[in-house]
Amino acid sequence: MPNRASVLSFLVLIGVWGIAQPATAQMLVPHTLQLDASKLELQGLSLAKEASQLAQFQQYELAMQRAKLATQLAPKSAELWALVGGLYLQTNQLDEGIAALKRAQGLDSKSAAVFFALGSAYFQKAQYPTAVNYLKQGLKIKPDVPGALFDLGNAYLMLREYSNALAQYERAVALDKNFWPAINNIGLIKYETGDSDAAIRHWRSAVSVDAKAAEPLLAIAVALYAKGDREQGLALGESAIKLDSRYSDLKFLKENLWGDRLLSDTKKLLATPRIQATIAQAQERTKPVSQPQPPAQ
C-alpha cells in the first residue's frame, strides 16, 4: 500500500458535493448588491463542483484553476478553501495546502475533514506530533472514520509509540474488516517487536482481503526467507515484485513505514540472484517503448 498523501485529503474534495445551494427565497432579495453577491456565490459553487469532478480524474491543474476562481467568487465558503487545500495536498504543495486549510478552519472550526487533511499535511512534513494533534481533534468530531484512525496509527508508528499505533489500527479494522492497509501495518509492528509469527498471520490476512496487494505478499516472503523457508520466500517474493516492482526499492519500502528489522531482512532477499533476475525482468517490462524514428530525408 503505497504511503499516500492520504485518502483523507479526498474527503475534503468530496465535501464540496455537500455544499448547500442558497435557497431561491434567499436570492430573491430587493437589493441589487445582495442579488449580485448571491449570483456570484452560485457561480463559485458551480465552479467548485466542476473542480471536484476534475480532481476525481486527477486533472489537478484544471481543478485548481476552477477552485481558486471559486474562492474569489465565494471567499467566505469554508468548503471552497478546504477544496483548494485538498488540491494543494494532492500536488504535494504542502505549505500552500496548510494555509488554505487553516483559512477553511477559520471559517468552520467543526469540519472533521479539514482536521484530517491538516493531519495528513503535517504527516507528510514529518511533523508527527502536530499530525497526531490534528487527527485527534478531527476524530473527536467524527470518531468512526477508518482512514483517519489509520493515519493516526501511522503518525504514532513514526513516533515509535507502538501500543498507540496498534490501538488505532485495530479500531480501524473493527470498523472495516476489509481495510487491509491497517491489517498490514499491524504486521509491521509485530515484526519490529520480534513477533514474526503474528506478523505473518496479519500479512496473510491482508492478502486474503486483496490478493493483488504486493506489500503484504512481499512482507510474508521476507519473513519466511528470514525464518529459513528459502524456497517459499523466493517464490512469494517473485510474485510480489511481478505485481508491483516498486516494492523492490528499499527507499520506497521505508516511505511505506517498513521498520529497520524488516528492511534489513528485505535487503537480504532482494540481493539473491533469483530476485535480482525478477527485478530486472519487471524493470524491462515497465520501460517506455521508444518511438520509431522517421526515415532520413
Side-chain angles (χ1 to χ4, degrees):
M1 181 255 348
N3 192 27
R4 47 211 169 114
S6 169
V7 293
L8 290 170
S9 57
F10 272 103
L11 288 179
V12 176
L13 304 180
I14 293 168
V16 76
W17 295 101
I19 298 173
Q21 300 284 350
T24 304
Q26 292 176 314
M27 293 181 60
L28 299 177
V29 290
H31 301 294
T32 303
L33 288 176
Q34 291 179 336
L35 178 62
D36 290 344
S38 296
K39 285 183 176 179
L40 289 174
E41 184 176 0
L42 278 175
Q43 290 174 354
L45 298 177
S46 177
L47 283 168
K49 289 194 174 185
E50 288 182 29
S52 187
Q53 287 177 317
L54 289 165
Q56 301 302 315
F57 294 98
Q58 299 184 1
Q59 297 184 39
Y60 298 126
E61 186 175 347
L62 292 174
M64 183 65 82
Q65 292 172 3
R66 286 163 173 76
K68 283 183 174 180
L69 181 55
T71 60
Q72 294 176 23
L73 297 172
K76 293 184 179 180
S77 169
E79 292 91 342
L80 295 186
W81 285 107
L83 174 60
V84 171
L87 286 168
Y88 274 129
L89 297 192
Q90 290 303 123
T91 53
N92 293 317
Q93 299 179 74
L94 301 180
D95 291 335
E96 295 87 345
I98 288 170
L101 289 166
K102 285 188 174 179
R103 187 154 182 177
Q105 188 181 41
L107 293 164
D108 179 6
S109 62
K110 300 296 184 181
S111 172
V114 171
F115 281 114
F116 295 153
L118 281 166
S120 171
Y122 280 107
F123 182 91
Q124 292 175 77
K125 287 173 70 71
Q127 297 182 23
Y128 304 120
T130 305
V132 166
N133 179 52
Y134 276 112
L135 289 164
K136 287 174 70 175
Q137 288 186 72
L139 285 163
K140 285 181 182 177
I141 299 167
K142 198 169 184 179
D144 296 333
V145 181
L149 291 165
F150 175 72
D151 283 357
L152 181 56
N154 288 346
Y156 279 130
L157 179 56
M158 295 306 295
L159 292 168
R160 298 184 182 272
E161 296 184 24
Y162 293 142
S163 60
N164 283 332
L166 279 172
Q168 309 314 314
Y169 295 143
E170 288 168 352
R171 285 177 63 195
V173 175
L175 291 166
D176 180 0
K177 62 183 177 59
N178 292 324
F179 191 11
W180 72 260
I183 301 170
N184 176 82
N185 284 16
I186 293 173
L188 296 181
I189 293 175
K190 295 295 184 182
Y191 201 84
E192 289 306 302
T193 54
D195 193 347
S196 60
D197 290 337
I200 290 170
R201 287 196 300 272
H202 281 89
W203 289 327
R204 289 194 189 281
S205 178
V207 171
S208 72
V209 174
D210 185 353
K212 293 185 177 180
E215 181 175 356
L217 190 60
L218 180 63
I220 296 168
V222 171
L224 291 176
Y225 188 85
K227 286 169 70 73
D229 190 345
R230 301 295 174 90
E231 182 56 35
Q232 190 176 4
L234 289 167
L236 292 176
E238 288 177 318
S239 297
I241 291 166
K242 287 175 183 176
L243 283 170
D244 192 337
S245 62
R246 293 176 300 172
Y247 287 96
S248 63
D249 182 350
L250 290 171
K251 181 181 178 183
F252 182 76
L253 294 171
K254 187 172 183 178
E255 289 171 354
N256 280 276
L257 314 186
W258 285 37
D260 293 339
R261 182 180 177 220
L262 186 56
L263 286 171
S264 177
D265 288 342
T266 302
K267 188 175 181 180
K268 297 171 187 174
L269 176 69
L270 295 179
T272 61
R274 189 165 153 185
I275 296 298
Q276 282 293 305
T278 303
I279 294 169
Q281 291 168 6
Q283 290 173 343
E284 188 66 29
R285 286 196 303 271
T286 57
K287 276 185 180 179
V289 178
S290 58
Q291 296 297 322
Q293 296 298 317
Q297 299 295 324

